[in-house]
Amino acid sequence: ALYQAQSAVSSLEKALGSAVTNLESMQQQLQVQVFQMEEELDTTKRTLSETSSELERTQIELRETQAELIRSREESDRLQLALAQSQKVADRADELEAYVKDMEEITAP
């Protein structure tokens, strides 16, 4: 019975040793996985930060472009008004020229 008990204890010690070895191996694998995940997370954070910065720059560019578009539209409106006024002046000049011709014909001897 003593031999069987010693044999059982020896088997348990081997099994326990094997379990400990397996657990240590699993722990090492998990540590490697955690390290890799931390590296991926850091990379993702950097990418997100870069993307966020790029988005901010793009938003600034968009606001600047919108402001430029507004200024261009305002300038276009001013030019359209000036063109319309110029056309009115040209039309009035044509009317006066025709009037002067008519007057010259009427007053011509």
Side-chain angles (χ1 to χ4, degrees):
L2 180 61
Y3 175 74
Q4 288 179 342
Q6 287 176 340
S7 179
V9 168
S10 176
S11 292
L12 286 174
E13 285 176 343
K14 287 180 184 178
L16 182 59
S18 179
V20 167
T21 301
N22 287 339
L23 287 174
E24 288 172 345
S25 175
M26 288 174 61
Q27 181 183 17
Q28 288 176 350
Q29 290 173 356
L30 288 173
Q31 286 174 338
V32 168
Q33 288 177 351
V34 166
F35 178 76
Q36 290 172 341
M37 292 174 91
E38 287 174 343
E39 284 186 333
E40 288 177 18
L41 180 60
D42 288 342
T43 300
T44 301
K45 285 179 181 178
R46 281 192 301 275
T47 301
L48 181 58
S49 177
E50 291 167 2
T51 302
S52 178
S53 296
E54 185 176 340
L55 176 60
E56 288 175 17
R57 287 190 301 272
T58 302
Q59 288 172 331
I60 290 169
E61 288 177 18
L62 177 61
R63 284 192 293 271
E64 290 171 353
T65 302
Q66 287 171 333
E68 186 176 329
L69 178 60
I70 290 169
R71 288 190 298 272
S72 294
R73 285 182 180 161
E74 290 170 350
E75 181 64 19
S76 175
D77 291 345
R78 283 192 293 276
L79 291 172
Q80 289 290 336
L81 181 59
L83 179 62
Q85 290 172 343
S86 295
Q87 187 61 49
K88 285 181 184 178
V89 169
D91 292 346
R92 184 67 179 140
D94 290 344
E95 290 172 9
L96 290 173
E97 185 179 350
Y99 176 77
V100 168
K101 277 187 178 180
D102 288 345
M103 293 310 278
E104 287 173 349
E105 288 176 7
I106 292 173
T107 59

